[in-house]
Amino acid sequence: SSSNCARCGNSAKNRCGACKSIFYCSTNCQREDWKRHKAKCKAIQLDQEKADSHSFHKREFDRIRLKYRLDLPDKAEQIAELLTQQQMMKDDDGRGGGVSAKTFAETFGMTIEESVVFLEWIKVGVKFKEDTLDVAKKAGIT
């Protein structure tokens, strides 16, 4: 498929090799356009890396969840209790608390590395939920 060159507007088949989001008809046009495209190109690459990392961690979380059968009701309840108990142990400044990777690993018979991946993904989910609820509250939805 082809598009128009970002610099001259001619028919173009070559994409920027870094971000793959913009077309050029020639390496000369790409070189001439680099000063203008550079910042956007870097931002697109960072977004792509973040999305790739996010996908990788989600796959690892799912692998760990299935490997240790953490989606079974009794395990899910055990996880919830462990996370809730540890959350209550925060100090007055809101620091501390949270289950340690070592404790989580020992409780569920996994490696500390697996525990870190699992707990970090839980944090991502909690943050997403908090952010979503904050937006919903501000919009008067809840």
Side-chain angles (χ1 to χ4, degrees), residues 2-142:
S2 68
S3 192
N4 292 338
C5 178
R7 183 174 169 272
C8 70
N10 289 336
S11 180
K13 293 184 179 178
N14 303 318
R15 289 181 191 251
C16 171
C19 72
K20 315 253 188 292
S21 70
I22 194 165
F23 288 86
Y24 293 102
C25 64
S26 67
T27 53
N28 186 52
C29 272
Q30 184 172 4
R31 206 174 290 116
E32 292 287 324
D33 195 48
W34 179 242
K35 191 180 257 187
R36 185 196 63 79
H37 176 61
K38 184 177 180 178
K40 183 178 180 183
C41 184
K42 300 284 184 197
I44 291 169
Q45 288 178 70
L46 286 173
D47 284 348
Q48 289 169 342
E49 287 171 15
K50 194 183 231 183
D52 290 346
S53 174
H54 187 82
S55 295
F56 171 77
H57 284 99
K58 173 65 168 98
R59 281 192 308 274
E60 277 299 290
F61 172 83
D62 287 339
R63 183 191 63 76
I64 294 163
R65 180 180 51 83
L66 295 172
K67 178 179 178 181
Y68 296 99
R69 304 186 68 172
L70 299 177
D71 53 345
L72 295 176
D74 61 322
K75 296 275 180 114
E77 187 175 322
Q78 192 178 4
I79 292 168
E81 282 181 26
L82 187 60
L83 295 174
T84 303
Q85 287 170 356
Q86 295 299 318
Q87 187 69 18
M88 293 164 127
M89 294 180 176
K90 284 188 175 185
D91 62 24
D92 293 336
D93 293 334
R95 291 190 312 247
V99 65
S100 73
K102 183 178 184 222
T103 299
F104 196 88
E106 290 170 355
T107 301
F108 296 100
M110 64 179 64
T111 67
I112 290 177
E113 291 80 9
E114 289 172 322
S115 175
V116 168
V117 169
F118 191 87
L119 292 171
E120 286 301 315
W121 192 258
I122 295 291
K123 287 180 188 176
V124 168
V126 168
K127 181 167 178 11
F128 175 78
K129 185 176 179 182
E130 288 172 349
D131 291 350
T132 302
L133 287 175
D134 286 348
V135 169
K137 284 179 185 174
K138 287 178 184 174
I141 296 171
T142 59

